C-alpha cells in the first residue's frame, strides 16, 4: 500500500532497445497524460556500463574505462521492474519531457546525465547501479 | 493429527472470508491486474495459488515487499482458488482492493 514508483527509484528496463539496463526514475506520471493514457515514467538509464577498473590501470585507461553512456526515455510502468535500490542523483533540472521533443535537446540532456552518472560512479557509491545485471541461467526465483 | 485439523479449519475460514470479499468487496483477478494494483498502491492483500510458477510468485512477492502488502499463499492450486472465488475459471493470483465486510486483511497476514 506504499507507492514505490517514485523519483530516485532504481528500476530495470524490461522491453525495448534498453532491455536489461538499469535506470532511475526521474519523474513519474501515475495517471498518464493525453498522449500516453497509461501509467508511465521518465527514466534516465545507462546505455553502456562502465568497464571494470583494476589497480594496474593507468590514469588514462581508468578515465577511458569509467565512461558511461546514458539514455533518457519515457517507459510504461509495465515495461520496468522496480527494485529495492535508489539512486540519489539530481536529474530533475536536466531530464525533462521537454528534452525529449527534439534530437538536439535529447543529446544535450543525455550528455549532462552522462556527466552526472560518471561523477557518481567515480565516487564508488551505488555500485549495484553501475554494474551489469547478473543474468543467472536456470534461475527459478527472482534475484535482485 | 492436531496439525491437519487446524489447517483444515483455517483453510475453510480463508474460503469463507474470500467468499465474503467476492460478495461485498473489490478485487481483481489475474497476474496483470495484480501487478497494476500493486503499482498504484491499491492492493491490500495478494493471494497466490500454490501452483503459481515460482518466478511469477517471487516477482509478485517482490512487488508486494516494495509496496508493504501481504501475500498469502493459498492452500490449493489455481483451480481451487477459482472455485473459492466462485468463478468457473482458474485463478492463479488475485488482489483484494477493498475487503468490504470481510476481515480477511486483518486476520490472514497475521496467520502467515
Amino acid at each position: 500500500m506504499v507507492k514505490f514508483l517514485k523519483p530516485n527509484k532504481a528500476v530495470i528496463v524490461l522491453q525495448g532497445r534498453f532491455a536489461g539496463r538499469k535506470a532511475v526514475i526521474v519523474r513519474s506520471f501515475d495517471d498518464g497524460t493525453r498522449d500516453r493514457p497509461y501509467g508511465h515514467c521518465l527514466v534516465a538509464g545507462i546505455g553502456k556500463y562502465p568497464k571494470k577498473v583494476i589497480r594496474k590501470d593507468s590514469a588514462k585507461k581508468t578515465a577511458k574505462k569509467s565512461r558511461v553512456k546514458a539514455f533518457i526515455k519515457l517507459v510504461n510502468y509495465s515495461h520496468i521492474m522496480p527494485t529495492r535500490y535508489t539512486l540519489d542523483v539530481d536529474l530533475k533540472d536536466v531530464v525533462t519531457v521537454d528534452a525529449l521533443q527534439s534530437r538536439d535537446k535529447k543529446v544535450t540532456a543525455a550528455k549532462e546525465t552522462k556527466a552526472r552518472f560518471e561523477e557518481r560512479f567515480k565516487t564508488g557509491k551505488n555500485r549495484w547501479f553501475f554494474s551489469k545485471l547478473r543474468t543467472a541461467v536456470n534461475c527459478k526465483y527472482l534475484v535482485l | 493429527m492436531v496439525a491437519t485439523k487446524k489447517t483444515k479449519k483455517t483453510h475453510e475460514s480463508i474460503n469463507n472470508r474470500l467468499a465474503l470479499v467476492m460478495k461485498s468487496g473489490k478485487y481483481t483477478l489475474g497476474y496483470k491486474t495484480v501487478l497494476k494494483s500493486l503499482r498504484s498502491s491499491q492492493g491490500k492483500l495478494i493471494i497466490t495459488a500454490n501452483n503459481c510458477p515460482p518466478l511469477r510468485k517471487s516477482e509478485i512477492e517482490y512487488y508486494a515487499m516494495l509496496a508493504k502488502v501481504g501475500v498469502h499463499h493459498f492452500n490449493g492450486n489455481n483451480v481451487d482458488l477459482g472455485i473459492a472465488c466462485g468463478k468457473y475459471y482458474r485463478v492463479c493470483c488475485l488482489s483484494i482492493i477493498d475487503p468490504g465486510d470481510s476481515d480477511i486483511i486483518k486476520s490472514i497476514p497475521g496467520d502467515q
Side-chain angles (χ1 to χ4, degrees), chain A residues 1-5 9 14 30 76-85 139-142 144, chain B residues 35 38-44 54-60 62-69:
Chain A
M1 267 193 298
V2 169
K3 206 164 99 65
F4 51 86
L5 287 170
K9 181 64 119 180
L14 296 174
D30 285 331
N76 190 340
Y77 278 162
S78 50
H79 299 156
I80 55 175
M81 177 73 206
T83 66
R84 59 186 163 94
Y85 299 94
C139 186
K140 279 206 286 182
Y141 300 94
L142 197 63
L144 273 178
Chain B
L35 290 188
L38 283 168
R39 279 187 212 118
S40 59
S41 56
Q42 281 186 334
K44 308 237 176 347
L55 186 61
R56 182 183 294 191
K57 182 157 54 174
S58 56
E59 189 180 357
I60 291 177
Y62 196 86
Y63 267 80
M65 176 268 288
L66 292 174
K68 301 212 208 313
V69 168

Side-chain angles (χ1 to χ4, degrees), chain A residues 22-82:
Chain A
K22 296 180 188 169
V24 60
I25 295 181
V26 178
R27 200 169 152 203
S28 63
F29 304 90
D30 285 331
D31 300 313
T33 57
R34 280 272 301 297
D35 302 321
R36 288 172 176 255
Y38 46 80
H40 62 285
C41 53
L42 185 58
V43 298
I46 301 184
K48 269 199 207 156
Y49 288 95
K51 299 214 171 52
K52 222 172 166 61
V53 177
I54 51 177
R55 197 195 284 266
K56 235 170 56 160
D57 291 332
S58 61
K60 196 169 97 171
K61 222 168 182 179
T62 315
K64 195 148 193 208
K65 279 188 177 178
S66 309
R67 288 191 305 193
V68 172
K69 184 159 167 74
F71 69 86
I72 305 169
K73 195 167 167 49
L74 276 172
V75 210
N76 190 340
Y77 278 162
S78 50
H79 299 156
I80 55 175
M81 177 73 206

Side-chain angles (χ1 to χ4, degrees), chain B residues 9-37:
Chain B
K9 205 162 124 191
T10 52
H11 185 60
E12 279 173 15
S13 76
I14 292 165
N15 283 7
N16 293 341
R17 293 200 172 94
L18 201 51
L20 194 49
V21 173
M22 295 295 134
K23 205 163 51 156
S24 63
K26 288 202 185 56
Y27 57 91
T28 61
L29 308 173
Y31 173 62
K32 275 169 79 170
T33 56
V34 162
L35 290 188
K36 256 193 179 174
S37 73

Side-chain angles (χ1 to χ4, degrees), chain A residues 32-137:
Chain A
T33 57
R34 280 272 301 297
D35 302 321
R36 288 172 176 255
Y38 46 80
H40 62 285
C41 53
L42 185 58
V43 298
I46 301 184
K48 269 199 207 156
Y49 288 95
K51 299 214 171 52
K52 222 172 166 61
V53 177
I54 51 177
R55 197 195 284 266
K56 235 170 56 160
D57 291 332
S58 61
K60 196 169 97 171
K61 222 168 182 179
T62 315
K64 195 148 193 208
K65 279 188 177 178
S66 309
R67 288 191 305 193
V68 172
K69 184 159 167 74
F71 69 86
I72 305 169
K73 195 167 167 49
L74 276 172
V75 210
N76 190 340
Y77 278 162
S78 50
H79 299 156
I80 55 175
M81 177 73 206
T83 66
R84 59 186 163 94
Y85 299 94
T86 55
L87 186 73
D88 267 321
V89 176
D90 191 23
L91 291 166
K92 274 195 297 283
D93 46 337
V94 167
V95 178
T96 56
V97 179
D98 186 47
L100 289 170
Q101 303 302 357
S102 83
R103 178 156 222 120
D104 315 327
K105 286 196 216 164
K106 193 162 159 188
V107 166
T108 45
K111 282 213 173 96
E112 181 57 39
T113 318
K114 168 192 155 81
R116 294 200 191 171
F117 276 168
E118 277 178 9
E119 186 188 321
R120 182 52 70 93
F121 172 66
K122 285 186 182 130
T123 62
K125 296 196 197 134
N126 306 117
R127 262 176 219 272
W128 179 85
F129 187 78
F130 292 104
S131 57
K132 279 193 196 167
L133 190 61
R134 270 182 315 152
T135 50
V137 186

